[in-house]
Amino acid sequence: MAGPYWDGELETAPWAEVEAWQAPRVAQFIDGLRVRSAFHKDRLDSAARPHGSPSSLRFLAELPFPTKDDIRRSQEDQSPGEPLGRHQGVPLDAIVQVVSSSGTTGNPMFYGVTAADLEV
């Protein structure tokens, strides 16, 4: 990385332009998450989907964000191919590393990391 920015053009753009760049990408990710994870599909199907290609992130305020207890319950509801629970969003063979919380306030929570996650 040279200089103070990873992407100087994007990181120094006015917020409205950054949001207009982010919004359709976030909406596309959320649509994909509905397909990849039963846990997130159940939760997101009740949320309104942005129409067309959104130019703001206001739709995020309507999304049901999971709590630690939701993730813990998901982990308890494991099925074959989903040892991390129903919230697992990629196939098991795509997971190259597993990380966990310490479990200080309850059972530890486990998350799968893909090679693309590690690259970022």
Side-chain angles (χ1 to χ4, degrees):
M1 182 170 115
Y5 300 107
W6 173 71
D7 182 333
E9 184 178 344
L10 182 62
E11 292 177 53
T12 59
W15 179 248
E17 290 177 25
V18 173
E19 190 171 293
W21 179 86
Q22 288 176 331
R25 288 164 174 80
V26 171
Q28 181 180 17
F29 173 81
I30 291 168
D31 282 343
L33 191 56
R34 283 182 169 99
V35 174
R36 293 188 313 272
S37 167
F39 170 83
H40 291 291
K41 179 183 183 340
D42 291 347
R43 300 175 62 79
L44 292 169
D45 278 352
S46 64
R49 289 182 171 169
H51 299 289
S53 184
S55 60
S56 97
L57 297 170
R58 283 182 230 125
F59 68 92
L60 291 176
E62 305 301 319
L63 295 181
F65 286 91
T67 65
K68 285 183 177 182
D69 287 337
D70 294 332
I71 299 297
R72 286 184 180 116
R73 280 190 296 275
S74 167
Q75 285 182 182
E76 292 167 2
D77 192 19
Q78 297 175 8
S79 63
E82 293 180 334
L84 301 177
R86 294 182 72 239
H87 64 282
Q88 182 176 320
V90 297
L92 187 56
D93 63 358
I95 296 172
V96 297
Q97 182 178 356
V98 175
V99 296
S100 74
S101 67
S102 65
T104 303
T105 61
N107 292 333
M109 295 184 295
F110 296 91
Y111 304 92
V113 180
T114 66
D117 295 330
L118 289 176
E119 181 69 27
V120 172

